[in-house]
Amino acid sequence: MSQNWDLLRFFLAVARAGSIAGAAEQLAESSATVGRKLRELEAELSATLFDRSVSGVSPTSCGRAILDHAEQIEQQMLLINEAIYDDDGLLTGTVTVAAPSGLGQTMLAPRLRELHNTHPGLQIKLLLSTAKVNLLNREADIAVRIGQPGQERLVGRKLGSVGFGIYASRLYLDDIEPFETVKDLDGHNIVAASGALAQTAQCREFALLSERCNVALTTDSLLAQLEAVKSGLGIAPFPKYLAQAHPDLVELLPGQLQTTADLWMLTHPDMRNLARIQTVQEFIFQICQERQATKTKTLPASGMKPARPTAVSA
């Protein structure tokens, strides 16, 4: 058996993606190349590693038998690369960070120039999709998530607690009497949530408070909701870190929304000791600490105390 790491790398990508096409997208290779590499590995092992179907691929018993070993080899290759980088005194490579879209836009993206200036060899890939990435399948290296972590075996660090409020634009509030009670919301326009956004705790709480309001727009996008509110269309709930990044928004009935959610930074346990991962994690943590120090209240100060990384589970 003379297979090399390159062939195992393709094997792992297919196993994690569940399809040749998905692996090709992750590896930035053609499907033909991925298929050829997989056939080469199967020929060298004299074994079929995946069952093929119209819906994708799934590991055979042989594939499952070597999966853990392939991941261990992957980890050793990462450590070898880290040793080389550390010897040169430079950090290089790509770190993929997944975060909620609003948080990524307002807190992370504006600060990444600082990280690049300090470590120009680091490349940050910022994923702001509403879909939750699977860290165990290496879809990202670091995930910043609002709410309790839901994947087992991940290493987590609590960054703080996110507060929520009800907001309208100054344009919408022109010539309107101040809001003093929840009843003052009656008859006003709201920008309602749909899809996964509607299932968030703050949107469910706001839905109960706004039953007598006019629904001017429904959307499953937080950023579309934000832009609609900024335009003066209506009222909606937002995380405070997002709303406070837009001075034209005014919080109505402060303290009315009781919803809070913990903010976590998560990574795969095999990645936690890599220098580039640790560097990016510390950078993200410092952003949150600076928010507290400057008293912007993007995150409630009570949730911003430093915390040691801990293993988390569902």
Side-chain angles (χ1 to χ4, degrees):
M1 187 176 64
S2 61
Q3 78 281 354
N4 55 36
W5 160 240
D6 187 56
L7 296 182
L8 289 174
R9 181 171 66 90
F10 281 85
F11 164 76
L12 283 172
V14 174
R16 289 164 178 166
S19 68
I20 299 292
E25 182 177 355
Q26 290 180 13
L27 296 169
E29 299 278 2
S30 68
S31 294
T33 297
V34 175
R36 176 172 54 80
K37 293 285 188 178
L38 189 57
R39 289 191 298 272
E40 287 181 24
L41 180 60
E42 289 179 323
E44 292 215 10
L45 293 173
S46 299
T48 300
L49 300 178
F50 293 97
D51 289 322
R52 278 79 165 173
S53 70
V54 293
S55 60
V57 300
S58 58
T60 61
S61 58
C62 290
R64 291 192 297 271
I66 71 169
L67 182 57
D68 286 344
H69 298 293
E71 289 182 336
Q72 291 174 22
I73 294 172
E74 177 186 49
Q75 178 64 11
Q76 292 303 312
M77 293 300 299
L78 289 170
L79 292 175
I80 289 171
N81 288 332
E82 286 292 313
I84 295 171
Y85 298 147
D86 288 346
D87 186 58
D88 291 339
L90 299 173
L91 286 178
T92 62
T94 299
V95 178
T96 302
V97 179
S101 56
L103 187 147
Q105 276 197 346
T106 60
M107 290 179 61
L108 300 185
R111 300 288 300 275
L112 290 177
R113 180 183 177 186
E114 301 167 32
L115 183 64
H116 176 76
N117 288 343
T118 305
H119 302 288
L122 276 182
Q123 297 180 2
I124 305 300
K125 183 177 181 181
L126 190 58
L127 303 180
L128 302 182
S129 169
T130 55
K132 184 175 289 187
V133 300
N134 189 323
L135 290 176
L136 297 179
N137 283 349
R138 311 296 174 87
E139 294 175 2
D141 300 311
I142 299 169
V144 179
R145 290 182 183 164
I146 297 175
Q148 186 65 27
Q151 282 184 295
E152 297 181 353
R153 294 176 51 210
L154 299 179
V155 176
R157 187 177 192 179
K158 186 177 176 182
L159 298 176
S161 297
V162 177
F164 300 87
I166 302 170
Y167 292 90
S169 70
R170 298 183 189 279
L171 178 64
Y172 182 85
L173 296 174
D174 280 350
D175 302 322
I176 291 179
E177 292 294 325
F179 289 70
E180 297 180 354
T181 69
V182 173
K183 188 171 177 56
D184 293 331
L185 292 172
D186 292 357
H188 279 281
N189 291 342
I190 63 169
V191 180
S194 62
L197 182 61
Q199 301 308 312
T200 58
Q202 73 274 14
C203 287
R204 291 199 304 269
E205 184 180 3
F206 180 67
L208 297 176
L209 302 177
S210 58
E211 291 178 338
R212 295 183 178 86
C213 294
N214 302 316
V215 177
L217 173 69
T218 302
T219 178
D220 62 354
S221 167
L222 177 64
L223 295 182
Q225 194 180 36
L226 175 67
E227 292 302 318
V229 171
K230 287 171 60 180
S231 76
L233 181 58
I235 300 167
F238 296 116
K240 289 182 180 291
Y241 68 75
L242 178 61
Q244 291 172 356
H246 300 275
D248 53 330
L249 295 185
V250 177
E251 184 175 4
L252 312 179
L253 306 172
Q256 182 63 53
L257 288 188
Q258 299 298 305
T259 297
T260 60
D262 291 336
L263 184 66
W264 284 83
M265 180 166 56
L266 307 171
T267 191
H268 193 290
D270 290 347
M271 309 291 284
R272 64 184 298 184
N273 294 323
L274 300 182
R276 65 178 183 274
I277 303 299
Q278 291 180 337
T279 297
V280 176
Q281 285 183 312
E282 283 303 314
F283 180 75
I284 294 171
F285 184 73
Q286 286 303 315
I287 289 175
C288 294
Q289 291 296 290
E290 289 171 18
R291 290 274 174 151
Q292 177 190 5
T294 56
K295 299 181 180 179
T296 60
K297 297 183 180 179
T298 300
L299 297 175
S302 61
M304 294 299 296
K305 294 180 180 179
R308 292 177 178 272
T310 56
V312 296
S313 61

